[in-house]
Amino acid sequence: MSMILTIADLKDLARRRVPKMFFDYADSGGWTESTYRANEEDFQKIKFRQRVMVDMSNRSLESTMIGEKVAMPVALAPTGMTGMQHADGEMLAAQAAEEFGVPFTLSTMSICSIEDVASVTKKPFWFQLYVLRDKDFVLSLIDRAKAAKCSALVLTLDLQILGQRHKDIRNGLSAPPRFTPKHVWQVATRPGWCIGMAGTRRRTFRNIVGHAKGVGDLTSLSSWTTEQFDPHLSWKDVAWIKERWGGKLILKGILDKEDALMAAKTGADAIIVSNHGGRQLDGAPSSIEVLEEIADAVGDTIEVHMDGGIRSGQDVLKALCLGAKGTYIGRPFLYGLGALGKEGVTKALEIIRKEMDITLALCGKRLVTDMGKDQLRR
Ligand SMILES: Cc1cc2nc3c(=O)[nH]c(=O)nc-3n(C[C@H](O)[C@H](O)[C@H](O)COP(=O)(O)O)c2cc1C
């Protein structure tokens, strides 16, 4: 554990501990994965200004996201099938986030349900909603998130249809895995993962199975999900979702300033500049490339968050400098979870915190909220 110093170290360990089909599910992007790669690579092009001879004592990473106090402006992004990276993954990640003091966002396509996560946490978490054709089910999901006292609804806009990820098709991804020789081999070579999974009942999409009409068993689930994402979703749908929800609303998946301006008009509390971690439109720009122009376009009309490609505390600070009030990490916490369970998620957050703290100091700042464009070389 003491030699785990970077998110890349957690990724290496996760690769060895998580069955290939689930590791690949996390470590993949759409088609050629060019946008997935650009999300990480474009951060490297941005350079800080090093400042010296300033008082670096009493530093603080504390901030707020949608009015909620956060230990650092880094939330856990919603990720589907997190409970397949590690048994009870969503529950463990939510606990790690709660203890650390950052928001956890539960995906609609999670393995552990809203109620499962609520049963092991004390503070409110956030819930991510996919709008599906079965509107009664969508309404019931909103109501369940309200009943669980979730403090924000994250509405995902960029997955009306599913981008193609070649690895998932080649691997024959499913949850739980199928019993073909290939799948049995992938699972059997990860004994720690198997022991964890044998010890939990949570091995399928528990927000859905037993709640949505016609999904009583596992065999009907895969066809249900492909049929159910709603390609008709449009800006006018935000109004009824907002009304039913009645709380803080975050719109996720904005990558264009025209869309950002539309989003600001909906009265939502924040947008997430995001390309779904490069998993949807391959060939789209990286999130960090478009962040500044989007933040400048919306100004103070809506809070701006971003995700995609953050692999260090330095990346978080670069995003803050370019106009984000908050950021999210997807794969970094999944790698931590796959590598070491709850402790690994905490480790991922600690790595990022330390990198942020040291970088802040070497840029000559004491408060993370003071980071702005003038801390970058341009
Ligand atoms: C394995 C995986 C599953 C994901 N599932 C969802 C999801 O269910 N809902 C959603 O809105 N975004 C989902 N995302 C996108 C993340 O919320 C986030 O936008 C992305 O992971 C950020 O990029 P990063 O992984 O480089 O940090 C998923 C991402 C990954 C890697």
Side-chain angles (χ1 to χ4, degrees), residues 25 78-80 107 128 130 156 252 276 279 307-309 311 330-331:
Y25 171 66
T79 52
S107 164
Q128 175 266 326
Y130 277 130
T156 297
K252 175 174 188 280
H276 216 101
R279 297 162 76 76
D307 74 19
R311 298 294 177 267
R331 296 174 183 92

Side-chain angles (χ1 to χ4, degrees), residues 1-10 12-13 340 347 351:
M1 186 81 155
S2 62
M3 281 303 124
I4 295 178
L5 303 175
T6 64
I7 298 299
D9 293 336
L10 288 171
D12 285 343
L13 193 52
L340 294 159
K347 186 77 190 172
I351 288 170

Side-chain angles (χ1 to χ4, degrees), residues 22-28 36 39-40 43 76-82 85 105-110 128-130 154-159 165 168 229 252-253 272-279 287 306-311 328-335:
F22 298 122
F23 178 82
D24 282 356
Y25 171 66
D27 183 27
S28 60
Y36 175 30
N39 273 351
E40 293 181 26
F43 273 108
L76 302 197
T79 52
M81 292 210 287
T82 300
Q85 302 294 333
T105 319
L106 183 72
S107 164
T108 294
M109 300 308 294
S110 56
Q128 175 266 326
L129 183 72
Y130 277 130
V154 176
L155 177 63
T156 297
L157 311 180
D158 62 0
L159 203 136
R165 297 160 211 153
D168 293 348
F229 285 96
K252 175 174 188 280
I272 309 178
V273 175
S274 171
N275 50 33
H276 216 101
R279 297 162 76 76
S287 305
M306 79 80 72
D307 74 19
I310 291 175
R311 298 294 177 267
Y328 299 72
I329 49 169
R331 296 174 183 92
F333 97 83
L334 292 178
Y335 296 145

